[in-house]
């Protein structure tokens, strides 16, 4: 199993709406994430818009590729893209995993 952590930055003026949207993630998006192997997925936010994402998966590259092949992910990414700072593409393309330096099991 891989533990994956990543950072993204939401525009501060859109942060509340971003948080609200994630209180009602589309059921078909949740189904697609699970089917693609995303488990124990959380997103945390700071008041300045910094996001920290965490998930567990068997193979992150395969899990991302599986999501790229879904219509619901294309729609979700298109809706979420305007919320982010410093991204030229889709938010899921900006997810660069951080290196794990310590883990206590």
């Amino acid at each position: 199993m891989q533990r994956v952590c990543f950072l993204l930055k939401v525009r501060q003026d859109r942060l509340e709406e971003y948080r609200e949207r994630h209180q009602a993630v589309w059921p078909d998006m949740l189904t697609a994430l699970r089917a693609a192997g995303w488990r124990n997925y959380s997103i945390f936010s700071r008041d300045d818009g910094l996001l920290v994402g965490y998930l567990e998966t068997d193979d992150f590259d395969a899990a991302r590729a599986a999501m790229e092949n879904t219509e619901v992910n294309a729609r979700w990414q298109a809706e979420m893209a305007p919320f982010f700072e410093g991204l030229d593409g889709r938010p899921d393309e900006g997810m660069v995993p951080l290196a794990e330096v310590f883990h206590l099991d």
Side-chain angles (χ1 to χ4, degrees):
M1 180 204 46
Q2 286 183 281
R3 289 181 301 276
V4 179
C5 184
F6 61 89
L7 303 176
L8 289 169
K9 186 79 177 346
V10 170
R11 293 178 33 199
Q12 198 168 7
D13 62 323
R14 304 284 310 264
L15 183 57
E16 281 310 310
E17 183 182 359
Y18 180 86
R19 289 173 174 164
E20 289 170 11
R21 295 270 191 111
H22 282 78
Q23 295 304 306
V25 175
W26 308 330
D28 50 343
M29 182 64 172
L30 299 174
T31 298
L33 286 164
R34 288 184 184 105
W38 298 57
R39 297 184 306 275
N40 199 24
Y41 183 24
S42 297
I43 300 173
F44 302 87
S45 67
R46 203 165 65 179
D47 287 339
D48 66 355
L50 180 68
L51 297 182
V52 177
Y54 174 84
L55 66 116
E56 296 170 351
T57 187
D58 294 327
D59 181 334
F60 186 51
D61 291 335
R64 287 176 78 172
M67 286 305 293
E68 287 175 16
N69 293 324
T70 65
E71 179 274 335
V72 68
N73 187 58
R75 284 189 292 122
W76 181 264
Q77 297 303 320
E79 286 211 14
M80 293 297 109
F83 288 87
F84 289 89
E85 290 182 6
L87 292 180
D88 292 329
R90 298 169 13 163
D92 60 347
E93 295 169 343
M95 296 169 53
V96 178
L98 301 174
E100 183 175 307
V101 295
F102 175 78
H103 174 76
L104 174 66
D105 194 19

